Amino acid sequence: MKEKEKEREEIEKWIEGDESGAEMLSRVSSVRPFVFPPPLHRVPLRVGNVLELVGPSPSAKTQILIQAAITSVLPKPYGGLDHLVLFLDLDCRFDITRFSQLLIHRITQHGTDSYDQALYDLCMARFLYVRCYDSFEFLHTLRTLHCRLEKEKEVQGVGVHLLMIDSIGAFHWMDRASMFLSQRENSKKKLFLQTVSEAVVQNIRKLLQVYPMLIMATKSVIFGSRHSTASNEIKGNVEERCSKNMTRNHKNFQHREYMPSVWQSFVTHRILLHSSDEHPGTTNHQNSSIYSLEWLLPRLSFPDKIVVKDAGVFVQS
């Protein structure tokens, strides 16, 4: 009880502005970082961080979210973090069956081979799922989340420490089309991409002031090779003009950054995922998919090879 009162006092103090930058840094740094299993084990992640997982579809982005979510909802004796997870599904393709299968696997493999229905029900209740079909629903959800989070905390006795967004760019092209359409029709309700992203970031920041959380967001991109084809040579001048908006990695992959700058600057950590050169047939990982994972922010010099199997996502040794 005393810990909750102290936490509330610290939150109120911060909202009122009675805290210096040095005091805030000290407070946030004192919070123990999240301990996630591979492949998110390389860099310590804390509340307030925004981790973006970038890659084409498929590249195991959602699989990594699912594995991290299960770690969060499981009790500490089962290797979990004992917290609630809020999952915002903007892609509308979340596979709850896959989540359930991986959760059961984690329960049965940790300490006992028997299935604990009560533990399963507890973990499923701790996984809060919201589906949004457009930017308006997404913004409305963010603006009203504090009510739900407060109720869930009162009912379940633990708070949300992990907010997941899958996928943050899901409505980008829809909003872009709406913007041009509204301009053509001279509508007063113009939907500008920068304005939408600013509202998203602003609402998440407000939420973090009251509910300190780690943010994980996926973002789908399309890669192209720098070693080109004849068509690329024809488009050389266009690519040169767009080069400022390109992000490259050391494997000759590049992708066009389409999210507005307000979101890009909000991200504190970034992971790049793409298909691996190694074919599953040439390894011991039959009936599995292999991807390359590398940290772009902060930059790590060595990538990981990850394997997606029925039991989860693993780092290839």
Side-chain angles (χ1 to χ4, degrees):
M1 190 68 181
K2 290 182 179 180
E3 291 182 358
K4 290 184 178 180
E5 291 177 356
K6 183 179 180 181
E7 180 182 355
R8 185 177 293 276
E9 288 176 0
E10 289 179 350
I11 293 173
E12 291 175 351
K13 183 179 179 182
W14 164 242
I15 293 175
E16 291 171 1
D18 189 16
E19 183 181 39
S20 68
E23 289 172 337
M24 178 188 177
L25 180 61
S26 175
R27 174 172 57 83
V28 174
S29 300
S30 65
V31 178
R32 185 177 180 182
F34 291 84
V35 180
F36 289 109
L40 298 180
H41 62 303
R42 298 294 187 190
V43 176
L45 298 169
R46 302 176 184 273
V47 295
N49 290 157
V50 180
L51 171 63
E52 184 183 68
L53 293 93
V54 184
S57 180
S59 57
K61 301 185 299 296
T62 304
Q63 296 294 323
I64 293 174
L65 290 190
I66 289 175
Q67 188 157 290
I70 291 174
T71 298
S72 297
V73 299
L74 279 168
K76 292 180 180 179
Y78 284 81
L81 301 176
D82 229 357
H83 295 308
L84 302 181
V85 172
L86 178 60
F87 192 101
L88 302 183
D89 183 10
L90 311 189
D91 211 24
C92 300
R93 294 189 298 177
F94 181 74
D95 187 354
I96 190 62
T97 302
R98 173 65 171 164
F99 181 90
S100 175
Q101 291 172 344
L102 289 178
L103 175 58
I104 293 173
H105 177 76
R106 286 283 295 274
I107 290 174
T108 54
Q109 79 165 157
H110 207 94
T112 176
D113 291 331
S114 62
Y115 173 64
D116 189 333
Q117 182 67 44
L119 177 59
Y120 173 83
D121 293 341
L122 172 68
C123 293
M124 291 297 286
R126 288 179 170 182
F127 182 73
L128 311 179
Y129 175 83
V130 179
R131 178 179 292 180
C132 302
Y133 292 95
D134 55 43
S135 289
F136 294 110
E137 283 193 10
F138 182 33
L139 287 171
H140 176 73
T141 298
L142 291 175
R143 289 170 182 150
T144 57
L145 271 180
H146 64 280
C147 296
R148 179 172 182 180
L149 296 183
E150 192 64 32
K151 290 180 180 178
E152 293 289 349
K153 187 175 182 179
E154 291 177 0
V155 171
Q156 304 203 39
V158 292
V160 174
H161 281 208
L162 182 57
L163 171 62
M164 295 180 163
I165 305 173
D166 187 26
S167 129
I168 189 62
F171 307 134
H172 174 83
W173 303 109
M174 186 189 307
D175 292 345
R176 186 168 180 169
S178 299
M179 179 184 71
F180 288 118
L181 182 62
S182 62
Q183 287 177 336
R184 183 179 300 177
E185 296 177 351
N186 295 320
S187 171
K188 294 181 180 179
K189 297 181 179 179
K190 294 180 179 179
L191 187 60
F192 293 103
L193 304 178
Q194 185 72 18
T195 304
V196 171
S197 294
E198 287 175 354
V200 167
V201 171
Q202 182 182 31
N203 280 279
I204 293 177
R205 287 190 188 278
K206 288 181 178 179
L207 202 61
L208 292 179
Q209 289 179 355
V210 183
Y211 303 99
M213 294 181 288
L214 168 65
I215 312 294
M216 290 187 185
T218 65
K219 184 176 70 179
S220 292
V221 295
I222 299 176
F223 286 138
S225 174
R226 283 185 305 190
H227 297 311
S228 50
T229 62
S231 62
N232 281 339
E233 294 176 1
I234 294 174
K235 298 177 184 177
N237 293 332
V238 176
E239 290 183 352
E240 183 177 355
R241 289 196 298 270
C242 295
S243 62
K244 291 183 179 180
N245 294 323
M246 292 291 189
T247 302
R248 295 187 174 104
N249 75 337
H250 72 284
K251 285 279 191 176
N252 296 323
F253 287 99
Q254 63 183 12
H255 71 271
R256 178 77 178 268
E257 178 55 71
Y258 57 88
M259 290 296 291
S261 59
V262 64
W263 170 261
Q264 295 180 47
S265 60
F266 185 50
V267 173
T268 62
H269 296 69
R270 181 174 286 113
I271 288 175
L272 177 66
L273 292 145
H274 56 80
S275 58
S276 173
D277 296 333
E278 188 172 354
H279 193 275
T282 64
T283 70
N284 295 326
H285 304 291
Q286 298 290 340
N287 301 320
S288 61
S289 301
I290 302 178
Y291 301 96
S292 178
L293 179 152
E294 57 181 307
W295 284 87
L296 301 182
L297 188 64
R299 170 73 68 175
L300 298 185
S301 59
F302 50 90
D304 283 317
K305 290 289 181 65
I306 62 171
V307 183
V308 180
K309 299 192 285 187
D310 291 340
V313 182
F314 305 90
V315 172
Q316 183 178 345
S317 57

